[in-house]
Amino acid sequence: TTNICSFNAKGLGSKQKREQIFACLKAQDYSICLLQETHLKQSNEHIWRSEWGGEAFLVEIARRKRALEFLSIISFLKY
């Protein structure tokens, strides 16, 4: 069975917030987790990937230069 979670993170810039959300997601039985509006940059991918501790993919969909906001989707795979 494949279980998919979709969640609007409303920003994951705070390490404390990432830790809380990642712990909550890991506690569930999801095969794939999709996080929208993470506001994370690919340049920091190594940080949040190591915090997740598994496979993770960042897809940057839109970027508003003026507000420096990132609409991105992170897919976390749980094996």
Side-chain angles (χ1 to χ4, degrees):
T1 303
T2 301
N3 298 312
I4 300 173
C5 167
S6 179
F7 181 74
N8 184 334
K10 298 180 183 175
L12 289 179
S14 160
K15 181 177 180 174
Q16 181 180 9
K17 186 173 181 181
R18 282 194 308 273
E19 288 174 347
Q20 290 174 343
I21 290 176
F22 289 175
C24 181
L25 293 173
K26 288 177 183 179
Q28 304 300 314
D29 191 27
Y30 298 121
S31 306
I32 300 171
C33 302
L34 303 170
L35 302 182
Q36 292 82 29
E37 296 192 42
T38 60
H39 303 274
L40 296 174
K41 298 178 184 178
Q42 276 188 315
S43 60
N44 296 328
E45 180 178 357
H46 64 285
I47 296 170
W48 50 261
R49 186 183 285 262
S50 68
E51 290 173 354
W52 173 250
E55 289 295 320
F57 306 93
L58 173 66
V59 179
E60 189 177 302
I61 295 180
R63 180 175 159 181
R64 289 188 284 164
K65 291 181 183 178
R66 196 170 181 203
L68 295 176
E69 289 197 19
F70 293 84
L71 172 62
S72 54
I73 296 176
I74 298 181
S75 300
F76 293 110
L77 305 179
K78 183 176 179 182
Y79 294 87

